[in-house]
C-alpha cells in the first residue's frame, strides 16, 4: 500500500514496485485523476498484477476504518504522503501543527496498529516512511515540519524493536531536496542557492528516492530495521 501514490515521490515508488511484480493499493487525497491515470498505465503494463485506488484524508482519523475495510493482503506499507508549511514557528497556528502531526505521525501510527496482523502474516512485513533530512538536522522556517519528520524516525526506532519478532521491519528513507511539486514554491534564485549548498550540486529525482524504498522491500533487506537512511546528496547530514 502506497500512501501518497498521487505525489511525485509516490508515483516513482509505484512505477518501480510495479516493475518488480508488486500489486499495489494506490492512495490519493485530492488528485483522483493522477492516480486513475497511474492505475490505467500500470494495469496495461502489468496485466497479471492488481492495482486498486484508495481515497482518504489522512489528517482525519475517522478515514482510517473505511480505508482498512478496502484492504485484503498487505505485505508492505509506504508512507509517502506529506505537506510542509514555510514560516516562522511564531507564525504557525495550532491547527497547522495539528495537521502536520496527524498526516505524518498520528494517522500512520493508527494504520500501523491496525495493519499489524496483516503485516505479521506476510512473508515480508515492511513499513517504510518517506521522512526528511530535516527530521535529523532541523530547519529554520520549517520547525513544525522538521519536528514531525524527526518523530517519524523516532517512531521507526521504537516500533522496529516492538515488531521485530513478528518479522516486520520499520525504516525511514529521508531525502534531502527532491525535484517535486513540494519545492516548486521556491523561486529560481532560491533553487540555485539551494543546489549550491548540496555537495552533489543538484536535487534528487523522485526515482532516486524510490530506488531505496524498492531496496528496503526486497527479501534480502530483512536484517535492516529501525534505521533512517539519509538520501541527501551529502547535504546537511
Ligand atoms: N520534495 C522534497 O524535497 C522532499 C524532501 C524530503 C522529504 N519529502 C517527503 O516526501 C514525501 C512525498 O513528498 P513529494 O515531494 O512527493 O510531495 P507531493 O508531490 O506534493 O505529494 C504529496 C502527497 O501527499 C498527499 N497528501 C497531501 N495532503 C494529504 C492529506 N490531507 N491526506 C492524505 N494525503 C495527503 C498528496 O495527495 P493528493 O495529491 O492526492 O492530494 C500527495 O500524494 C512527503 O512526506 C515529504 O515530506 C519531500
Amino acid at each position: 500500500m502506497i500512501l501518497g501514490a498521487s505525489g511525485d515521490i509516490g508515483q516513482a515508488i509505484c512505477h518501480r514496485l510495479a516493475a518488480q511484480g508488486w500489486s499495489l493499493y494506490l492512495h490519493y487525497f485530492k488528485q483522483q485523476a493522477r492516480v486513475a491515470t497511474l492505475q490505467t498505465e500500470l494495469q496495461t503494463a502489468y496485466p497479471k498484477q492488481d492495482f486498486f485506488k484508495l481515497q482518504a484524508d489522512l489528517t482525519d482519523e475517522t478515514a482510517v476504518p473505511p480505508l482498512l475495510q478496502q484492504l485484503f493482503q498487505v505485505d508492505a506499507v509506504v508512507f509517502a504522503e506529506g505537506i510542509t508549511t514555510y514560516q516562522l514557528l511564531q507564525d504557525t497556528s495550532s491547527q497547522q501543527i495539528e495537521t502536520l502531526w496527524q498526516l505524518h505521525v498520528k494517522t500512520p501510527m493508527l494504520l500501523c496498529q491496525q495493519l499489524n496482523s496483516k503485516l505479521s502474516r506476510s512473508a515480508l512485513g515492511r513499513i517504510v516512511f518517506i521522512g526528511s533530512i530535516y527530521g535529523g538536522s532541523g530547519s529554520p522556517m520549517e520547525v513544525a515540519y522538521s519536528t514531525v519528520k524527526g518523530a517519524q524516525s523516532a517512531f521507526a526506532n521504537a516500533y522496529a524493536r516492538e515488531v521485530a519478532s513478528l518479522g516486520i521491519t520499520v525504516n525511514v528513507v529521508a531525502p534531502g531536496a527532491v525535484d517535486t511539486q513540494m519545492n516548486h514554491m521556491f523561486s529560481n534564485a532560491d533553487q540555485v542557492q539551494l543546489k549550491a549548498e548540496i555537495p552533489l550540486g543538484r536535487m534528487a529525482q523522485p526515482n532516486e528516492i524510490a530506488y531505496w524504498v524498492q531496496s528496503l522491500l526486497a527479501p534480502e533487506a530483512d536484517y535492516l530495521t529501525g534505521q533512517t537512511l539519509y538520501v541527501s546528496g551529502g547535504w546537511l547530514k
Side-chain angles (χ1 to χ4, degrees), residues 80-117:
E81 81 289 0
I83 54 169
T84 189
T85 59
Y86 193 73
Q87 64 215 351
L88 293 171
L89 180 63
Q90 242 67 353
D91 300 327
T92 309
S93 70
S94 167
Q95 187 53 54
Q96 284 174 311
I97 295 171
E98 185 66 26
T99 297
L100 287 168
W101 165 248
Q102 288 266 359
L103 181 60
H104 294 262
V105 188
K106 187 176 179 189
T107 308
M109 285 174 75
L110 295 174
L111 279 166
C112 288
Q113 265 181 349
Q114 299 300 322
L115 289 169
N116 179 286
S117 60

Side-chain angles (χ1 to χ4, degrees), residues 5 10-11 22 24 45 67 101 132 137 168 237:
Q11 296 255 315
W22 286 82
L24 300 170
L67 188 67
W101 165 248
S132 167
S137 67
I168 301 172
K237 266 278 176 192

